[in-house]
Amino acid sequence: MKSKQKDRRVTPTRPEDERLPIGRSVTYGLQHVLTMYGGIIAVPLIVGTAAGLDPADVAVLIASALFIGGAATVLQSWGVPFFGSQLPLVQGVSFAGVATMLAILAGGGGLPAVFGAVLVAGLIGLVLAPFFAKVIHFFPPVVTGVVITTIGLTLMPVAANWAMGGNASADDYGSLANIGLAALTFVVVLLLSKVGIAAVSRLSILLAIVLGTVVALILGMADFSGVGDGPAVAVPSPFAFGMPTFEVAAIVSMTIVVLVTMTETTADILAVGEIVRTKVDSRRIADGLRADMLSSTVAPVFNSFTQTAFAQNVGLVAITGIKSRFVVSAGGVIMLVLGLLPVLGRVVAAVPTPVLGGAGVVLFGTVAASGIRTLAKVDYEGNMNLVIVASSLAFGMIPIVAPAFYDNFPAWFGTIFHSGISSAAVMAVLLNLVFNVLRAGNAPESSVMVARGARFVRPEHLEALEDGDYFQGGRLIDAGGKEVPIAALDQALDSSADRQS
């Protein structure tokens, strides 16, 4: 009977459907939470401080962000009909809307206006999701490779900032102690990855963060004294900061932000699909975007903001090789618990930022490397793909190397293109349309940047050459300065047959 049951076991047809033991799923899920924790608490910290909230109210925003992020992660990775891409994607508060939310606060609307704008924009995104998903047809490898590479490159400043301490106003920001702690964590990740034990290698990020934190404690660079401050258990209260208000200008601005986050989420879905090596079609993207937008719509009810897929966790999937979406679902459950148990959240928050920076260097670099691997599959011979890649990558790097580049542009333009990911995605899609879809007007070898194939000479051609022969002006000249006729293959064969007869 047991053998029959064993025979009925079905191997998952998709890599992401693999189920691991509960213990391993929770451990790997915790690794995902630690990887994105700094990013998910950054937005409520910034917005809460700008809104003039006291520390207790900021803690409410953080707990709400964790609670909604956890629920959104479970919805995205586990999935229900029409909602969720069923891919190992971690959801959290989008950083793309920070500037817009700060502008709404500066306009006097307060948090209720921010929450009202997020709610309406989320509903608009929910309606647009299936139409937006059709862009899959405009994302061939030359586009997805650019976008994935840009995701990794745009995250590197985040890792560097973490490695320096995370707080630019702190006295020890950029100190050798902070950078040294980050470097130690980085080296530990590499050493553990080298270990011949697969389980240790896959947990290299989590173990390195733990070891880095222990070292920081020994050196007095970690502070867990605040863990006991505040309540141990707290359930997010709906509309804790008052009922939302609706301002037209705020809604329009936030709708643009939602379009940007949908672009980023689409890019992340394509990226993780490439890494997991699973099929991603327009329907799957639509389901993922609907989960994204439903979470964004519900978020303001529980005092949080627009949700999006976290790019840094895409790198974790690539570096660990753990492709199971249920692992990420376990991470979502952990986030839900952290949102309900602020004391546990405070423990995780006490992990020194430089430790996260050291791990982030490997994670984010892995994302960029995955994009480069995709670009290696692109055909560059006799077409303009090299121009598409070069221009799109450069365009995506502009807001990274020069953050103030778009400051004097219209607000809506800056909102879209201030994100390097969105900039690269828009440029790559447009250039692919111009050069690869709308081929009218394209000419062979129309640019000096058109890639050419490798040069080669057949062995039989070399056998026909003699010492002293050389090419000049397209002619073959022998050692005596006389031109050697270049005959077509059939003429050469006829000449050879005549000599033999």
Side-chain angles (χ1 to χ4, degrees):
M1 183 69 180
K2 291 183 179 179
S3 60
K4 290 183 179 179
Q5 290 178 344
K6 186 175 182 180
D7 291 339
R8 280 199 287 265
R9 291 179 183 176
V10 180
T11 302
T13 56
R14 303 185 305 182
E16 64 272 25
D17 291 335
E18 179 185 8
R19 292 179 181 268
L20 302 180
I22 294 178
R24 290 174 61 190
S25 294
V26 171
T27 303
Y28 290 131
L30 177 61
Q31 190 169 232
H32 273 286
V33 173
L34 289 175
T35 299
M36 54 79 70
Y37 193 88
I40 199 172
I41 68 172
V43 175
L45 276 173
I46 295 171
V47 175
T49 303
L53 301 182
D54 58 39
D57 286 336
V58 172
V60 171
L61 286 182
I62 292 174
S64 299
L66 288 167
F67 181 80
I68 291 297
T73 298
V74 173
L75 178 63
Q76 183 71 268
S77 56
W78 192 281
V80 297
F82 302 107
F83 293 93
S85 64
Q86 295 191 336
L87 285 167
L89 283 169
V90 175
Q91 298 285 121
V93 178
S94 171
F95 207 87
V98 170
T100 299
M101 290 187 286
L102 294 181
I104 295 173
L105 291 174
L111 282 177
V114 171
F115 291 137
V118 171
L119 194 155
V120 175
L123 286 173
I124 293 173
L126 191 59
V127 173
L128 294 178
F131 304 100
F132 198 89
K134 299 300 181 181
V135 300
I136 182 64
H137 300 295
F138 304 112
F139 277 81
V142 68
V143 174
T144 58
V146 166
V147 173
I148 298 168
T149 303
T150 305
I151 289 173
L153 294 178
T154 55
L155 287 171
M156 290 311 298
V158 176
N161 180 55
W162 288 352
M164 297 173 72
N167 183 6
S169 62
D171 294 335
D172 64 344
Y173 184 73
S175 66
L176 289 179
N178 284 341
I179 295 176
L181 183 58
L184 173 67
T185 307
F186 172 75
V187 171
V188 172
V189 172
L190 298 182
L191 291 176
L192 293 177
S193 299
K194 179 68 174 176
V195 173
I197 304 174
V200 173
S201 180
R202 288 176 171 177
L203 285 172
S204 59
I205 298 295
L206 175 59
L207 295 176
I209 290 175
V210 172
L211 291 174
T213 302
V214 171
V215 172
L217 274 171
I218 295 173
L219 297 177
M221 297 177 64
D223 182 14
F224 286 85
S225 61
V227 170
D229 297 339
V233 180
V235 178
S237 302
F239 303 118
F241 298 92
M243 295 299 293
T245 58
F246 306 98
E247 300 177 1
V248 175
I251 292 171
V252 172
S253 298
M254 193 57 66
T255 300
I256 295 174
V257 171
V258 161
L259 293 176
V260 172
T261 59
M262 290 173 74
T263 301
E264 293 182 342
T265 296
T266 300
D268 290 332
I269 290 174
L270 292 169
V272 81
E274 179 73 21
I275 291 169
V276 173
R277 299 185 183 279
T278 190
K279 181 182 179 181
V280 173
D281 52 21
S282 59
R283 179 175 180 178
R284 201 167 191 182
I285 292 177
D287 290 347
L289 292 177
R290 273 192 287 263
D292 218 29
M293 292 300 101
L294 179 62
S295 302
S296 296
T297 303
V298 174
V301 176
F302 291 96
N303 321 300
S304 195
F305 314 106
T306 50
Q307 302 291 302
T308 189
F310 266 46
Q312 50 261 53
N313 292 83
V314 176
L316 188 58
V317 173
I319 198 171
T320 62
I322 301 297
K323 304 173 181 178
S324 172
R325 60 191 175 95
F326 302 111
V327 164
V328 170
S329 296
V333 173
I334 293 173
M335 290 168 61
L336 278 168
V337 172
L338 290 175
L340 296 173
L341 302 176
V343 63
L344 295 181
R346 292 192 291 271
V347 171
V348 178
V351 174
T353 306
V355 171
L356 297 176
V361 170
V362 182
L363 289 172
F364 306 158
T366 303
V367 178
S370 298
I372 294 171
R373 182 178 63 185
T374 301
L375 289 175
K377 303 174 183 177
V378 176
D379 178 19
Y380 297 98
E381 184 176 352
N383 55 48
M384 299 295 286
N385 282 338
L386 190 61
V387 176
I388 296 173
V389 173
S391 302
S392 302
L393 283 176
F395 200 70
M397 289 299 99
I398 288 176
I400 307 305
V401 300
F405 189 87
Y406 295 112
D407 284 359
N408 294 321
F409 283 71
W412 64 269
F413 190 93
T415 299
I416 296 173
F417 291 98
H418 189 71
S419 165
I421 299 172
S422 297
S423 297
V426 169
M427 181 60 72
V429 169
L430 289 178
L431 291 182
N432 180 63
L433 282 172
V434 170
F435 291 118
N436 291 336
V437 178
L438 306 174
R439 295 181 175 274
N442 287 5
E445 309 297 321
S446 58
S447 169
V448 294
M449 296 185 68
V450 172
R452 290 171 173 82
R455 297 176 62 196
F456 63 90
V457 178
R458 296 183 181 277
E460 56 267 27
H461 295 161
L462 292 175
E463 293 173 359
L465 298 178
E466 298 178 358
D467 290 341
D469 289 348
Y470 64 94
F471 273 95
Q472 183 178 27
R475 298 183 301 164
L476 178 61
I477 310 299
D478 65 15
K482 296 181 179 180
E483 181 178 356
V484 178
I486 300 177
L489 180 59
D490 54 350
Q491 293 175 328
L493 292 175
D494 290 342
S495 176
S496 175
D498 290 342
R499 287 198 300 271
Q500 291 177 4
S501 60

